[in-house]
Amino acid sequence: LEYWPYPEDLSSVGGLGNLKSWLSEREKAIFSPAAKEFGLPYPKGLFLLGLPGTGKSLAAKCLSKEWGLPLIRFDMGKVFGSLVGESEEKMRMVLAQIESLAPAAVWIDEIEKGMAGAESSGNLDSGVTKRVFGQLLTWMEERPKDKLIYIIATANEALSLPAALLRRFDAIFWVDLPTEKDRQEILRIHLNKKNQMSDEVEGAMARLGEVTKGFSGAEIENVVNSAMFKAFNDGVKKVTPTHLEEASLTITPIAKLRREDIEISRMWAKERCQFAQDEEPVNLENLHQDRVRMIQSRSIN
């Protein structure tokens, strides 16, 4: 367990309108003295599923600040030891420590990696992973109801995770690639953080939203950082739309590299998850042709 203080709230997360609305509703219920009298169910936690770089971990960290809860990061991979019974004992100690830290938000990042091999555990490690996993599931279901322990788990894919884990959360949200409106908001957030926002950039925001189509939030942050290097080398005080556009065309987005995987994941999520964005996901069908056209147009100009 690691204490992970984070200074920013959900205003630092671009997009994810549906998720933010859902969290706002839950905040009122969790911290209201009248919630228990009203008969509202005890909060379990939140499961964020989606592509790398789309803001899952950022949302988890900002949520703790938004709700005023200390954030505890639980690294499941470090539970496992080499001695007989060591892993199970470590897990019991961790769960007891978490209870003693309440009220708190517990963040389990990339939970699918911590649980890798649970299904075949009996053949590979004498069932250690399966027993440790079972301890966690039992605790999540039966942990003390008088202590607020809000679990936030993130995963890049959930196909390898059993349904027994997923049903122990209040909701499962699919975090997709940012829409055009969200991409513009993410650009503004990073430019403002670095004191690089200007009227000139704001005036070109529609174009910048177009050239970053298919980009994740992390890739948009890389665009801003790369544009700042270009602006610094050009000897200007702030980045320009040209710097940002040139930087975006040097990055190959994950949407292009893993288009087929993304589409499969989206289909899985449509039947099982709520969508974090409040608009339709980015259409990836013509992404490659669009980027080729943009690069060729930029070269000609």
Side-chain angles (χ1 to χ4, degrees):
L1 298 176
E2 181 180 2
Y3 176 51
W4 198 288
Y6 200 73
E8 298 175 352
D9 57 24
L10 288 172
S11 63
S12 299
V13 181
L16 310 186
N18 287 340
L19 174 61
K20 290 178 179 177
S21 297
W22 186 89
L23 290 172
S24 178
E25 291 179 353
R26 290 306 185 280
E27 180 181 8
K28 296 175 184 177
I30 289 174
F31 296 102
S32 170
K36 188 179 295 185
E37 295 180 13
F38 192 77
L40 290 176
Y42 190 78
K44 299 177 181 178
L46 176 67
F47 193 97
L48 300 177
L49 169 66
L51 308 171
T54 50
K56 303 184 302 296
S57 297
L58 177 62
K61 290 183 282 188
C62 290
L63 174 59
S64 68
K65 176 67 174 179
E66 184 84 10
W67 285 5
L69 294 172
L71 182 65
I72 309 299
R73 185 174 183 269
F74 177 20
D75 186 346
M76 289 193 59
K78 293 183 179 179
V79 167
F80 296 95
S82 58
L83 302 178
V84 175
E86 182 181 3
S87 304
E88 294 90 332
E89 179 61 25
K90 279 188 176 180
M91 178 59 88
R92 281 191 290 270
M93 290 176 60
V94 165
L95 298 178
Q97 289 173 352
I98 290 174
E99 289 182 16
S100 70
L101 294 170
V106 178
W107 170 35
I108 309 176
D109 199 26
E110 298 186 347
I111 192 172
E112 78 277 18
K113 294 181 180 178
M115 288 302 171
E119 293 300 318
S120 56
S121 173
N123 299 323
L124 299 177
D125 59 7
S126 302
V128 172
T129 304
K130 196 168 187 176
R131 288 195 296 273
V132 169
F133 179 55
Q135 284 179 281
L136 177 64
L137 290 182
T138 301
W139 176 80
M140 290 177 68
E141 190 72 21
E142 300 178 357
R143 68 183 190 267
K145 298 296 188 288
D146 59 340
K147 297 181 179 179
L148 176 56
I149 303 167
Y150 200 78
I151 301 171
I152 313 165
T154 67
N156 295 328
E157 60 88 17
L159 300 180
S160 61
L161 294 173
L165 173 66
L166 300 179
R167 70 177 178 82
R168 281 167 166 77
F169 293 89
D170 295 319
I172 307 172
F173 275 90
W174 167 257
V175 185
D176 210 302
L177 294 167
T179 63
E180 183 172 351
K181 181 184 72 175
D182 294 347
R183 293 194 297 274
Q184 293 179 18
E185 184 180 352
I186 294 170
L187 274 168
R188 290 188 185 97
I189 288 172
H190 288 297
L191 288 166
N192 281 317
K193 278 184 180 180
K194 295 174 169 55
N195 195 29
Q196 294 294 320
M197 193 62 191
S198 65
D199 293 340
E200 183 183 7
V201 170
E202 183 60 43
M205 198 56 75
R207 172 64 177 168
L208 295 173
E210 180 183 351
V211 298
T212 54
K213 180 181 179 182
F215 281 46
S216 67
E219 288 164 343
I220 293 173
E221 183 179 9
N222 288 338
V223 166
V224 173
N225 291 336
S226 179
M228 288 178 64
F229 277 103
K230 292 178 182 293
F232 180 80
N233 289 326
D234 286 348
V236 297
K237 292 183 178 180
K238 289 192 175 183
V239 299
T240 66
T242 300
H243 292 130
L244 291 164
E245 187 170 343
E246 288 177 350
S248 70
L249 295 178
T250 64
I251 296 175
T252 302
I254 190 173
K256 180 180 176 182
L257 297 174
R258 295 181 54 189
R259 176 190 162 190
E260 293 79 7
D261 294 338
I262 294 172
E263 294 293 358
I264 292 172
S265 297
R266 279 179 176 174
M267 290 179 62
W268 185 92
K270 281 181 179 179
E271 298 179 355
R272 299 168 176 86
C273 308
Q274 300 182 54
F275 274 60
Q277 281 84 356
D278 52 10
E279 293 183 0
E280 287 294 317
V282 176
N283 189 336
L284 305 180
E285 185 175 352
N286 299 318
L287 180 62
H288 176 70
Q289 292 85 344
D290 291 344
R291 287 196 62 77
V292 169
R293 187 174 65 253
M294 290 176 190
I295 292 172
Q296 289 175 342
S297 173
R298 190 73 192 169
S299 300
I300 293 172
N301 292 337

